[in-house]
Amino acid sequence: MKKIFLTLAVVLLGVAIGTAAPKKSSHIVGEPQALYELIDLERPGLEDVKKACNKGDFKAADKALLKYFRSRKGITLTDVNLDKVTIKKDEQRWADESLEHKFYAHKGYQPSYFYGDDIDWRYWPVKDNELRWQLHRHYWFIPLTKAYYITRDPKYIDAWIEQYTDWIIKNPLDGVERLQAAGASEEEIKAEKENIRFAWRPMEAARRLQDQLSEFALTIQSSRFSANFLNLFLRMFHQHADFVMHHFSKQGNHLLFEAQRMIFAGIYFPEFKESENWRKTGIEILNREIGVQVYDDGMQFELDFGYHAASIDIFLKALRMARANNMEQEFPQSYIETVEKMAVITYNLLFPDYENPMFGDTKAHDKSSLTRQFRQWSHFFKDNEQLPWFATSGKKGVMPPYTSRAFKTSGYYVLRTGWDKQATVTIVKAGPPAFWHNQPDNGTFDYWHKGRNFFPDSGCYVYGGDSEVMKLRNWFRQTRVHNTVTLDNKDLEKTDSKLLLWDDNEKMTILVTENPSYEGMTHRRSMFFPGDGVLIIADQVCGEAAGKVGVHFNLCPSQINFSKDGTLSTLFQDGNNIRIKTSCNRPARIAMEEGWVSTHYRKREERPAYVVEADKTAGEEMIFITVITPTDQEHNGSIAIVSKENAMSDKLSFAIRVGAKVYELGYELK
């Protein structure tokens, strides 16, 4: 590894100190004077820079350019307020640790790893792709520059300049070509190709592009920020922008992030000849993708709560930057209206304690972060009275005037008795096919009652990496670790649920969805929510497939007990408990399963999980009916289930009894 770095350092030293470097493409940083081919020297304020360039005195041009940027006015960077710079406790720790080359690369890998006295940007202690990708996002760079801005201690800005320069030398975009020209070995070239895959993925390049703006604003007035470094900084900034412009991701949240960051680059550095194209390209992508990536009900098409909320921030961050620099007119009114729909679905998908469902790759979001987002979003949507209510935990604004809500296109359904902590809320996911961050989990649900989520989604634990990391990820992606139906414990082969019925009235909310889950087996799930905390689920399956059909239940970490009739009870000491009972029209059995829940990256906790399963013959139709009920006084007593019909037709009717309460249930499709 040291040999590879030494080879690159020798070949690429000219990039850092400005000696001759070959010009093979626009991706090469080039000589210091190449900067002035990228800048519009006719721009007002750059007269002295132009004069020095005309004389061929590029050192004088660098000094004049530094003076220009130190006095430049009229451009607002919305990411940082230089009059109110603060640093969080964690950020200060990241800055201080980075002085010792302990770099905060990923919150799932703490304490931070030591990357060597001579920084090894290829160090990969755990073969998790995210750990190596996110190292190249330089999360600790803004904390370093904040720490300098607040304390004026030169050790922080010196560390930032040294580490960024070191990164430039050791992670060149054209490193493969340079090594080949230098006669490097196949091993060195292969390692360099792998390194570029991590260091120059468009997502990471765009993140650096954005953060460099804040780093620049926080340090440009420092005497440690030299004219030579300014030249290198701007050449690298242009290289980043040029790279992202020609390597946008094809779709998804990555494309949104990259476009938003190109908008920032174009607005903040109008001195570059290509800045207008950067800005317009980014705005064009966001204006297009908001119609592609956001369903008409407001959900982002990856069907992941976390990336949905992040997409809102992307759309509004771009709008805020444009608005602050008098360019808001480049976004149509429909753009703003769509983002508001996205905000509305976000607060609908929360439980009253601000816990969120962790479907797909979503992690648990903390309440403070969510309220901060609602507060920021409310500035854009002045007429939305609900956003302030969620931003202030009900102290201001207006509570939503409804309870249950169906988001039919994206397949998110919320069955809710109220918005306070005494409520019962079921959130169901049964929608169209999605993408990498989605899981084969159609029909799954979370059930929250009086402050406790009894059926939290399993989460994702990790993203991707070598075989060991992927083994961990794939365990959490299994259909059977979600609260839905499987055939022979296999993952769903098809995830394209259709809504058959949504009936929300004063007495009861009824939801019926259907998914073509396996070749030869269709799963129809009906949910009945009478509004008293009870949830009844009817799972019907039909088709020519034969095998073991199972209805899976994955509970929150808890102690449980099964009675002789197969009723499960949770045993929380605070008295907030539930009972679950399932019946089937065929002989069924209960089997315990392995259960884990992951609320954060690389954090997991064991939990009880079980399946109610029965054997299905070819062409047979089966029905499982499950009752989930609180253990309060109103629902004391035994649970009885009477199924009147088994056939999977346009009608279903059955009855259940919970203690003294009887529920006559069913549906009729039209």
Side-chain angles (χ1 to χ4, degrees), residues 39 66 126 138 246 335 376 387 400 405 494 497 557:
I39 289 178
L66 180 61
V126 178
H138 301 159
H246 294 91
Y335 179 98
Q376 292 170 347
L387 279 170
R405 180 61 67 95
K494 297 179 182 178
S497 294

Side-chain angles (χ1 to χ4, degrees), residues 374-445:
F374 290 134
R375 186 166 59 250
Q376 292 170 347
W377 300 347
S378 66
H379 295 318
F380 289 90
F381 311 116
K382 302 292 187 182
D383 295 333
N384 186 308
E385 297 179 306
Q386 281 78 54
L387 279 170
W389 193 82
F390 287 97
T392 62
S393 299
K395 295 175 183 176
K396 296 180 181 179
V398 178
M399 181 177 70
Y402 54 83
T403 51
S404 298
R405 180 61 67 95
F407 298 95
K408 299 178 182 179
T409 307
S410 59
Y412 273 95
Y413 305 94
V414 185
L415 290 66
R416 184 187 299 272
T417 64
W419 295 93
D420 62 23
K421 292 183 179 179
Q422 296 303 305
T424 304
V425 185
T426 299
I427 300 180
V428 186
K429 180 174 177 287
F435 304 97
W436 193 78
H437 290 294
N438 196 37
Q439 295 177 353
D441 58 1
N442 284 35
T444 195
F445 66 94

Side-chain angles (χ1 to χ4, degrees), residues 195-243:
N195 186 62
I196 289 172
R197 182 170 74 90
F198 288 102
W200 284 96
R201 188 173 68 156
M203 182 68 165
E204 279 61 54
R207 174 62 186 249
R208 293 193 300 269
L209 186 71
Q210 170 186 270
D211 288 359
Q212 285 167 18
L213 301 180
S214 295
E215 294 155 20
F216 180 88
L218 289 163
T219 59
I220 186 62
Q221 301 298 335
S222 172
S223 61
R224 320 289 282 206
F225 197 119
S226 69
N228 286 341
F229 181 70
L230 172 65
N231 187 298
L232 176 63
F233 179 92
L234 291 175
R235 280 182 286 141
M236 280 304 298
F237 186 89
H238 186 278
Q239 184 183 56
H240 276 73
D242 183 72
F243 176 77

Side-chain angles (χ1 to χ4, degrees), residues 355-373:
E355 184 179 347
N356 61 277
M358 297 186 299
F359 304 137
D361 281 341
T362 300
K363 293 91 174 170
H365 292 229
D366 63 90
K367 182 178 179 180
S368 62
S369 296
L370 287 164
T371 54
R372 182 172 62 253
Q373 285 178 298

Side-chain angles (χ1 to χ4, degrees), residues 58 117 165 218 223 225 245 247-248 266 285 287-288 303 320 374 388 432 539 541 560 621 637 639:
F58 295 107
D117 293 324
T165 303
L218 289 163
S223 61
F225 197 119
M245 271 288 291
H247 296 85
F248 282 113
I285 289 172
N287 281 333
R288 181 192 74 223
L303 303 182
R320 185 183 300 113
F374 290 134
D539 286 305
V541 297
I560 61 170
E621 297 184 357
I639 300 172

Side-chain angles (χ1 to χ4, degrees), residues 252-459:
N253 68 84
H254 281 213
L255 177 57
L256 302 183
F257 274 118
E258 292 152 15
Q260 174 255 305
R261 289 156 181 173
M262 289 304 299
I263 294 169
F264 271 49
I267 292 177
Y268 192 73
F269 279 125
E271 293 80 12
F272 285 114
K273 293 176 181 177
E274 297 175 55
S275 62
E276 184 177 1
N277 190 34
W278 297 345
R279 185 191 80 247
K280 287 185 174 180
T281 299
I283 290 174
E284 179 185 351
I285 289 172
L286 290 190
N287 281 333
R288 181 192 74 223
E289 289 298 309
I290 200 168
V292 173
Q293 294 199 29
V294 183
Y295 288 125
D296 58 10
D297 59 16
M299 190 69 193
Q300 200 261 354
F301 71 169
E302 292 176 276
L303 303 182
D304 178 295
F305 179 91
Y307 287 103
H308 169 84
S311 297
I312 297 174
D313 285 339
I314 293 168
F315 289 129
L316 293 184
K317 196 171 184 178
L319 182 61
R320 185 183 300 113
M321 184 69 170
R323 177 180 290 177
N325 292 279
N326 301 313
M327 298 177 183
E328 183 180 3
Q329 69 280 2
E330 298 189 29
F331 293 93
Q333 182 62 30
S334 60
Y335 179 98
I336 300 172
E337 292 169 354
T338 298
V339 183
E340 184 175 10
K341 284 185 180 181
M342 298 179 74
V344 170
I345 195 172
T346 303
Y347 59 67
N348 273 276
L349 293 180
L350 290 178
F351 299 106
D353 61 354
Y354 288 73
E355 184 179 347
N356 61 277
M358 297 186 299
F359 304 137
D361 281 341
T362 300
K363 293 91 174 170
H365 292 229
D366 63 90
K367 182 178 179 180
S368 62
S369 296
L370 287 164
T371 54
R372 182 172 62 253
Q373 285 178 298
F374 290 134
R375 186 166 59 250
Q376 292 170 347
W377 300 347
S378 66
H379 295 318
F380 289 90
F381 311 116
K382 302 292 187 182
D383 295 333
N384 186 308
E385 297 179 306
Q386 281 78 54
L387 279 170
W389 193 82
F390 287 97
T392 62
S393 299
K395 295 175 183 176
K396 296 180 181 179
V398 178
M399 181 177 70
Y402 54 83
T403 51
S404 298
R405 180 61 67 95
F407 298 95
K408 299 178 182 179
T409 307
S410 59
Y412 273 95
Y413 305 94
V414 185
L415 290 66
R416 184 187 299 272
T417 64
W419 295 93
D420 62 23
K421 292 183 179 179
Q422 296 303 305
T424 304
V425 185
T426 299
I427 300 180
V428 186
K429 180 174 177 287
F435 304 97
W436 193 78
H437 290 294
N438 196 37
Q439 295 177 353
D441 58 1
N442 284 35
T444 195
F445 66 94
D446 284 16
Y447 171 92
W448 187 99
H449 177 71
K450 292 186 176 181
R452 178 169 288 129
N453 188 350
F454 285 92
F455 292 92
D457 190 86
S458 294

Side-chain angles (χ1 to χ4, degrees), residues 160-193:
W160 171 63
I161 291 173
E162 290 167 6
Q163 290 171 22
Y164 187 37
T165 303
D166 188 78
W167 185 90
I168 292 171
I169 293 172
K170 294 175 180 174
N171 297 278
L173 185 53
D174 63 337
V176 171
E177 293 89 339
R178 289 171 177 263
L179 284 175
Q180 288 172 335
S185 68
E186 289 186 9
E187 177 189 1
E188 289 176 306
I189 293 171
K190 181 180 179 181
E192 182 65 14
K193 287 180 178 179

